[in-house]
């Protein structure tokens, strides 16, 4: 059985959002069976530490998605949905925009002070221009490539949203569309343990 890492909840606040959801983008590995985050910089876009399946957090260890997390909290949505543009070797999913899982936000915390301690000397600490850096914690559910939700431009437009199914997508989904996504993932086999095990294997190889 996969063991998740317990975090210190000092300073975390309980969160009760509305049933909507927001997109968080993550780069994903080309080489793993499940689409885990690109922790080895395979894509050349930096090391991704979110979503942090091991601890059930987003934004605690990295500020890659801080602006989007802040926006989600301001919008008071309950869910974060994790999207990726797949560029690996599986031709069935190549160049498609996949939503691979979600987090139900149960707790939040402003971690700007923590980022100042840990990342102040980074090459481009983009969080310095922000007043707050929100992190989230909560139930996560991730699925296989085959069970991912393929988000298309046509679906976005049918749902009444502008933009394209691409990395810059910053859509905040209404309740009815967030419900479609959550029900999709809840109907599939939960692969979160496999995600965690894969990341732990990568960490052992580093």
């Amino acid at each position: 059985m996969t063991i998740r890492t317990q975090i210190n909840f000092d300073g975390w606040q309980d969160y009760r959002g509305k049933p909507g959801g927001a997109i968080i983008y993550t780069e994903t590995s080309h080489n793993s069976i499940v689409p885990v985050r690109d922790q080895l910089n395979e894509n050349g876009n930096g090391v991704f530490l979110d979503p942090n399946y091991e601890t059930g957090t987003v934004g605690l260890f990295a500020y890659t998605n801080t602006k989007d997390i802040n926006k989600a909290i301001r919008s008071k949505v309950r869910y974060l949905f994790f999207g990726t543009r797949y560029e690996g070797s599986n031709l069935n999913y190549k160049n498609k925009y996949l939503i691979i899982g979600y987090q139900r936000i149960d707790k939040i915390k402003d971690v700007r002070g923590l980022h100042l301690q840990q990342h102040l000397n980074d090459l481009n600490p983009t969080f310095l221009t922000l007043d707050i850096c929100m992190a989230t914690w909560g139930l996560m559910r991730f699925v296989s490539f085959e069970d991912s939700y393929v988000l298309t431009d046509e679906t976005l437009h049918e749902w009444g949203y502008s933009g394209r199914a691409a990395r810059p997508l910053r859509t905040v989904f209404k309740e009815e569309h967030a419900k479609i996504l959550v029900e999709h993932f809840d109907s599939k086999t939960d692969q979160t343990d496999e995600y965690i095990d894969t990341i732990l294997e990568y960490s052992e190889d580093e």
Side-chain angles (χ1 to χ4, degrees):
M1 179 179 178
T2 301
I3 300 175
R4 288 167 169 75
T5 303
Q6 182 66 48
I7 65 170
N8 185 336
F9 285 115
D10 289 348
W12 289 80
Q13 301 175 9
D14 290 339
Y15 179 81
R16 295 290 181 270
K18 298 180 291 187
I23 285 282
I24 298 292
Y25 188 84
T26 184
E27 295 280 358
T28 44
S29 170
H30 297 180
N31 300 314
S32 63
I33 295 175
V34 290
V36 295
R37 64 179 187 255
D38 182 10
Q39 189 162 304
L40 303 180
N41 195 19
E42 297 171 28
N43 297 307
N45 292 317
V47 172
F48 275 68
L49 299 177
D50 281 333
N52 199 270
Y53 331 106
E54 310 94 294
T55 59
T57 64
V58 186
L60 180 59
F61 300 103
Y63 50 87
T64 311
N65 296 302
T66 296
K67 289 183 179 179
D68 294 331
I69 299 169
N70 287 353
K71 179 180 178 181
I73 300 303
R74 286 197 305 270
S75 300
K76 298 181 179 179
V77 298
R78 188 64 190 273
Y79 298 100
L80 298 181
F81 297 105
F82 300 98
T84 189
R85 172 68 71 174
Y86 180 68
E87 298 178 357
S89 58
N90 189 325
L91 297 180
N92 292 325
Y93 300 95
K94 194 169 183 66
N95 295 322
K96 292 183 178 180
Y97 190 96
L98 308 177
I99 301 180
I100 55 177
Y102 73 86
Q103 179 195 56
R104 184 192 69 206
I105 307 173
D106 293 319
K107 292 181 181 292
I108 59 173
K109 183 180 182 179
D110 181 0
V111 294
R112 190 174 188 278
L114 180 63
H115 289 336
L116 282 170
Q117 294 175 24
Q118 298 181 346
H119 301 292
L120 186 59
N121 294 322
D122 287 7
L123 185 62
N124 183 27
T126 54
F127 69 90
L128 290 178
T129 61
L130 304 175
D131 294 328
I132 59 172
C133 297
M134 300 306 296
T136 62
W137 176 90
L139 171 73
M140 287 185 170
R141 189 177 184 92
F142 288 87
V143 298
S144 66
F145 278 121
E146 293 80 5
D147 287 339
S148 297
Y149 191 95
V150 180
L151 186 66
T152 64
D153 296 348
E154 290 75 18
T155 299
L156 283 172
H157 298 157
E158 286 174 7
W159 288 358
Y161 304 111
S162 59
R164 298 179 59 248
R167 177 171 183 160
L169 184 65
R170 297 292 185 269
T171 298
V172 175
F173 291 115
K174 299 175 183 177
E175 177 179 349
E176 59 264 36
H177 304 126
K179 182 179 180 182
I180 290 172
L181 294 172
V182 170
E183 289 181 348
H184 171 86
F185 291 111
D186 287 351
S187 72
K188 307 300 182 181
T189 301
D190 185 6
Q191 297 283 321
T192 308
D193 283 353
E194 283 73 13
Y195 278 63
I196 295 171
D197 290 342
T198 300
I199 285 295
L200 292 177
E201 289 175 7
Y202 283 177
S203 299
E204 291 172 357
D205 293 338
E206 289 178 355

